[in-house]
Structure formats: C-alpha cells, structure tokens
Amino acid sequence: MPAKREVTKSPTEDHLISPADPAPNAEGLNEKIKMKKHMGLLEGVAIILGIIFGSGIFISPRGVIEEVNSVGFSLVIWILCGLLSMVGALCYAELGTCIPKSGGDYTYINEAYGSLPSFLYLWAANVIFVPTTNSIMGLTFAKYVIQPFFPECDMPDLGVRLMAAAIICFLTFLNCYNVKATVKLQNVFMFCKIGALVVIVLIGIVWMSLGNVENFSNAFVHTTQNPGKIAKAFYSGIFSYSGWNYLNFMTEELRNPFLNLPRAIYISLPLVTIIYVLANMAYMSVLTPDAIASTDAIAVTFGNAVLGKFSWILPILVAISAFGGLSVHIMSSSRVLYAGARNDHFPVMLAHLNVKTLTPVPSLIFLNILSLIMLCSSDIQLLIHYCTIVETFFVTLSVSGVLYFRWKYPKMERPIKVHLAVPIIFVIICVFLLILPVVESPLVFLGGVLITLSGVPVYYFGIAQEKKPKKFRSILKGATILCQKLLLTAHEDE
C-alpha cells in the first residue's frame, strides 16, 4: 500500500544486484538464461579505453581546429573536454554503483524520469548516435586502410563505404559468436591503441626537442570569438572522449561493480586526457593548422611528413585502433537496446539471448542494419556534430538524475557519493553547449530534435497503449517466433 511505503526507498532497492552474485552456468539449459559476470578491472579499463581510443583522436583534431582557428585554443579545448569527461564520469560512478544494472543512460533516465523519457533515449540512441558512431568508426578504419593507396588523389567514396560496411558486419558476427573472445581481444587492442598514440607522442617530443616549435609561436592569434563555433569545437573534442560512460551499459557483466566500475573510470580518464593533449601537440608541431584542417586521416598526413619510408606504420596502427574501438562499441551499445527491450520498450525479441553463447544476438543484428543505413553519408564531421548534439542532451539528462535521486531518495545507499557541486557544474556546462551551436548549425540541431520527438507517437502506439491492434500483435508474435527459430534465442527468464 502506498501509505506504508518509505519515502527514502529507491525504486531500485528491491532489486539491487549483489556484486557477489554467482555467474550462471552457461552450459546447462536448465539453468536460468542470463548474462555472465565475465569482466574484471582490466577488462573494464579495456572497454573504456577501447571505445575512447577507437577513432576520435585520429579524426577530431580537424573539427576542433577548423572551428577555433588557433593552435593554442585547440589545446585548451582538448584539456577542457578531458576535465568535462572526468566530471561526468564521477557522476556516472555514483549512478552505476547505486543502480548497478546494465543499460547505462537508459536505466538511469528510466529510474529517475519514467518510461517516456527513457524510451526517447532508447529511440534516439538506436536511430541516431549508436549507429552513427558505428558508421564513423567504420569509415575511419576504411579511410586509414585505403588512403595509403591513394596518396595523391581522393579516395573512392563507394570503396570507403563498402569497406566500412564489411568491417561492421564482421565485428557484429564476432560479437554474436563469442563475447568472451571479443572481451579478450579488447585487452590486446587496448595496448595496440595506446601503442599507436605513444608512437605519435614520441615522434612529436623528438620533433619539438629538435627545435621545431614554430607552429606554437603566437598560438592564440586568430582565435575565434564566436561562441557557437567554440561549442562546435567542443563537440568534436567530446566525441573523441565519448565512451567514458559505456562501461555502465554492461554493469551486470562486471564482477564486483561497486569496486571495479569507479576504479576503471579513475584509471582511464586521466590517462586519456594526458595522451590526447600530447598527441595533439605532436600533430601541431609537425602540421600547420591548414594541413590539419584539410585531411580526414591526420595520422597518415603526420606520418608522411616525418617518417618517410616508414610512414606505413601509422595507418596500420590506427586501423587496428579503429577496429578494436568499433568492436567494443558494437558489444556495449547492444546492451542498451537489450536492456530497453527487456523493459518492454522495444520488441521482446530484442531482449532474447542466444541459448549457446548467451549474447544478445537479435539486438546486435538490429543495430548492424541501422549502422549500415547510416553509411549513406560519408561526411565524418557532419556525422560527429549530428551525433554529439543528441547524445549530449541525454547525458545531461542522466547526470541530472544524480540531483533528482539526492532530492527524492536522500537515504538511498550510495557506495560512491560525489560532491553535489559536481553534477550541478556538469549540467550547467552541457546546457550551454546545447544552446550555443543552434545559430551555427540550426538544421543539424533541428534534425536531432525532430528524430528524437518522432519517438513520441511510436511510444504511445507501441508501448503506452495497453490494447494493441490484433494484427499488430500477430505480426510481433510471428517475428519473435521466427527470431527464436533462426537465431536459437530465448528470453532470459525462460
């Protein structure tokens, strides 16, 4: 009865997942079908670094310097983006340990604000920023693989997109087939990615130590005064750091999340910020702002300028980096769709797991199709702005949930509790970043708003409406049965 309910009780306190819960036996079909706790601290760090080091640092420097027009302020943007990501990650550490369920932003928005806002997040995620990010990473991989074969001319656009489509399909299959092998690969890819950036940083340090620092003279000359352009530069930087919240999507698969989730964040974000700033200094010591702004494959241009006959090393390392980043992004983002379907916000077939591999195969295949559709455009900078505006809004909404839970459930158990000023500062900064680019990119902003709001009629027809048309229910049932037969899937509660 409502009168007997304690006001201090969180909506999730009845079903908190203990970090000591034993992993299910995947080999016996009599066991409950559910995800395994197969990731420790190293895997958690690899997930975060795997996504963050995926492709952004090899494409976003162009977007930043194009908007701010100066070397000095570009470096300031990269430092501030790292600090902003760290502030956001602290808030997500509190959310992830007081609501230790998979789904990340979707779960936090659902617990704080209810069904419609969380569905709109799920809708926007699967229509906009998850498949868009997959396509960006696929395109980055393709451009770094293909560009060395076209050093003096433009790459064939169709070839780039076909290569990106092939790698997205292959990695989706790999994630469907064996998630444990995919997770182990992340440990290898993590060191390859760090290795690529370390090579760039070391080259830059040697180059600058030889006295090549003329690009840093008058570093702040011509810096833009336009707030909208500065905000767009932040979007390019933020995209490179995106991924710091993705481990929260897989909390149920993380051993001892109360300990390993915050530790993975605290290890990853400072390391990323330091490496990114040093990598950008290396780029800028060798290349002029005009050279950076004219290339989609900055590491190739950088390598050609300083490595001579060994310039082939960097495209290979960057391609490996983008490959690993795409793999882990496909794996983690599918868990958002899986969590939403499990909560009846998407067709129930997307909440099914393969009975042999215990992977969300239907969700992986669904996102694969949407990612291929997003390859209709190969303009990476446009895709970044389009993706980041919408994602920033929902990240802001998630972090505001920290403030809501503090007010609504002050006695809620919080293994990690950040100072109240931390989420307040983060929300204020993000609100400004959302408002300022409207004048500069009204169509991109309007497109993101319209696609997000297009989920409202879908929600009221497909979810809120209790008695759905018989034909609609029949089609969904038939599709679910077909999915179970073709993909050998079952609901985790079956």
Side-chain angles (χ1 to χ4, degrees), residues 34 57 64 84 109 172 276 311 372 407:
K34 61 186 293 187
I57 188 59
V64 174
L84 183 63
I109 294 171
T172 298
Y276 273 11
S311 60
L372 296 179
W407 168 71

Side-chain angles (χ1 to χ4, degrees), residues 67 226-232 435-444:
E67 300 297 340
N226 187 324
K229 285 184 173 292
I230 293 173
K232 288 176 67 178
I435 294 172
L436 293 178
V438 174
V439 177
E440 288 295 316
S441 304
L443 294 180
V444 174

Side-chain angles (χ1 to χ4, degrees), residues 165-182:
I167 200 63
I168 289 172
C169 290
F170 171 74
L171 288 174
T172 298
F173 166 77
L174 190 63
N175 274 278
C176 291
Y177 179 71
N178 192 331
V179 69
K180 185 177 288 187
T182 306

Side-chain angles (χ1 to χ4, degrees), residues 216-492:
F216 297 103
S217 60
N218 299 319
F220 290 90
V221 173
H222 307 306
T223 298
T224 183
Q225 303 296 316
N226 187 324
K229 285 184 173 292
I230 293 173
K232 288 176 67 178
F234 264 98
Y235 282 148
S236 292
I238 288 171
F239 176 79
S240 290
Y241 284 95
S242 63
W244 50 263
N245 58 335
Y246 271 54
L247 187 58
N248 292 62
F249 294 167
M250 306 179 69
T251 307
E252 291 178 29
E253 298 171 75
L254 186 66
R255 294 191 298 271
N256 197 0
F258 297 146
L259 187 63
N260 286 330
L261 177 62
R263 280 185 175 178
I265 291 171
Y266 298 152
I267 292 171
S268 303
L269 266 297
L271 179 63
V272 169
T273 304
I274 293 169
I275 291 177
Y276 273 11
V277 172
L278 292 175
N280 274 279
M281 289 183 68
Y283 290 145
M284 294 170 186
S285 69
V286 174
L287 304 174
T288 64
D290 289 339
I292 295 173
S294 64
T295 179
D296 273 332
I298 187 171
V300 171
T301 308
F302 174 85
N304 290 339
V306 295
L307 292 180
K309 64 181 181 180
F310 297 104
S311 60
W312 54 269
I313 295 173
L314 281 179
I316 291 176
L317 291 176
V318 174
I320 292 173
S321 177
F323 183 91
L326 177 59
S327 175
V328 73
H329 190 267
I330 288 172
M331 176 173 65
S332 57
S333 60
S334 67
R335 272 57 176 180
V336 182
L337 182 57
Y338 167 82
R342 188 172 62 178
N343 206 30
D344 297 326
H345 275 178
F346 259 61
V348 68
M349 72 184 80
L350 299 177
H352 285 192
L353 300 175
N354 182 277
V355 296
K356 294 183 178 179
T357 63
L358 300 182
T359 54
V361 172
S363 291
L364 285 161
I365 292 176
F366 181 76
L367 287 176
N368 179 74
I369 294 170
L370 292 176
S371 300
L372 296 179
I373 292 173
M374 294 304 295
L375 289 174
C376 290
S377 173
S378 59
D379 186 339
I380 290 180
Q381 298 303 323
L382 176 63
L383 289 173
I384 287 174
H385 290 153
Y386 187 58
C387 167
T388 313
I389 285 176
V390 180
E391 188 169 13
T392 299
F393 169 75
F394 283 105
V395 168
T396 306
L397 195 61
S398 295
V399 173
S400 70
V402 174
L403 304 175
Y404 175 81
F405 289 132
R406 292 284 186 93
W407 168 71
K408 187 71 173 178
Y409 307 105
K411 296 184 179 180
M412 182 181 186
E413 183 180 355
R414 293 175 173 87
I416 293 177
K417 186 175 182 180
V418 300
H419 192 280
L420 192 62
V422 173
I424 292 175
I425 292 172
F426 185 87
V427 169
I428 291 173
I429 293 174
C430 287
V431 168
F432 276 104
L433 290 177
L434 288 168
I435 294 172
L436 293 178
V438 174
V439 177
E440 288 295 316
S441 304
L443 294 180
V444 174
F445 181 84
L446 182 62
V449 170
L450 291 177
I451 290 180
T452 302
L453 293 181
S454 68
V456 174
V458 175
Y459 173 81
Y460 281 108
F461 174 77
I463 296 169
Q465 181 177 297
E466 293 185 5
K467 191 174 182 180
K468 299 176 180 63
K470 184 177 179 181
K471 184 68 174 177
F472 179 76
R473 289 185 281 114
S474 177
I475 291 173
L476 279 184
K477 183 178 180 181
T480 301
I481 293 173
L482 180 63
C483 177
Q484 289 177 310
K485 290 180 178 179
L486 289 178
L487 304 177
L488 297 177
T489 62
H491 196 276
E492 68 169 352

Side-chain angles (χ1 to χ4, degrees), residues 36-284:
K36 288 181 169 184
K37 291 184 179 292
H38 51 77
M39 297 190 302
L41 176 60
L42 179 60
E43 289 78 14
V45 171
I47 292 292
I48 296 176
L49 295 182
I51 295 176
I52 297 180
F53 286 158
S55 60
I57 188 59
F58 306 113
I59 54 177
S60 292
R62 172 184 174 179
V64 174
I65 208 161
E66 272 184 334
E67 300 297 340
V68 300
N69 298 324
S70 78
V71 169
F73 201 66
S74 292
L75 293 176
V76 171
I77 292 289
W78 284 101
I79 294 170
L80 292 178
C81 286
L83 293 175
L84 183 63
S85 299
M86 190 66 198
V87 170
L90 291 172
C91 299
Y92 272 70
E94 176 172 327
L95 288 169
T97 51
C98 66
I99 308 174
K101 297 194 299 179
S102 292
D105 299 78
Y106 166 77
T107 299
Y108 310 144
I109 294 171
N110 187 56
E111 297 286 1
Y113 303 116
S115 185
L116 177 58
S118 61
F119 173 79
L120 290 179
Y121 166 79
L122 193 67
W123 178 260
N126 291 290
V127 174
I128 301 178
F129 51 85
V130 166
T132 299
T133 302
N134 286 345
S135 66
I136 290 170
M137 289 183 172
L139 288 168
T140 303
F141 173 85
K143 288 188 175 185
Y144 272 93
V145 168
I146 293 174
Q147 181 148 344
F149 297 99
F150 298 89
E152 303 296 334
C153 59
D154 293 335
M155 293 175 284
D157 185 64
L158 180 60
V160 170
R161 284 193 269 181
L162 288 175
M163 173 72 78
I167 200 63
I168 289 172
C169 290
F170 171 74
L171 288 174
T172 298
F173 166 77
L174 190 63
N175 274 278
C176 291
Y177 179 71
N178 192 331
V179 69
K180 185 177 288 187
T182 306
V183 169
K184 288 182 177 179
L185 277 176
Q186 295 315 313
N187 297 337
V188 177
F189 285 131
M190 178 180 67
F191 293 110
C192 290
K193 294 168 192 179
I194 294 175
L197 288 168
V198 167
V199 169
I200 291 171
V201 169
L202 290 177
I203 291 173
I205 291 173
V206 172
W207 187 260
M208 287 183 283
S209 68
L210 295 175
N212 299 299
V213 293
E214 58 273 9
N215 289 346
F216 297 103
S217 60
N218 299 319
F220 290 90
V221 173
H222 307 306
T223 298
T224 183
Q225 303 296 316
N226 187 324
K229 285 184 173 292
I230 293 173
K232 288 176 67 178
F234 264 98
Y235 282 148
S236 292
I238 288 171
F239 176 79
S240 290
Y241 284 95
S242 63
W244 50 263
N245 58 335
Y246 271 54
L247 187 58
N248 292 62
F249 294 167
M250 306 179 69
T251 307
E252 291 178 29
E253 298 171 75
L254 186 66
R255 294 191 298 271
N256 197 0
F258 297 146
L259 187 63
N260 286 330
L261 177 62
R263 280 185 175 178
I265 291 171
Y266 298 152
I267 292 171
S268 303
L269 266 297
L271 179 63
V272 169
T273 304
I274 293 169
I275 291 177
Y276 273 11
V277 172
L278 292 175
N280 274 279
M281 289 183 68
Y283 290 145
M284 294 170 186

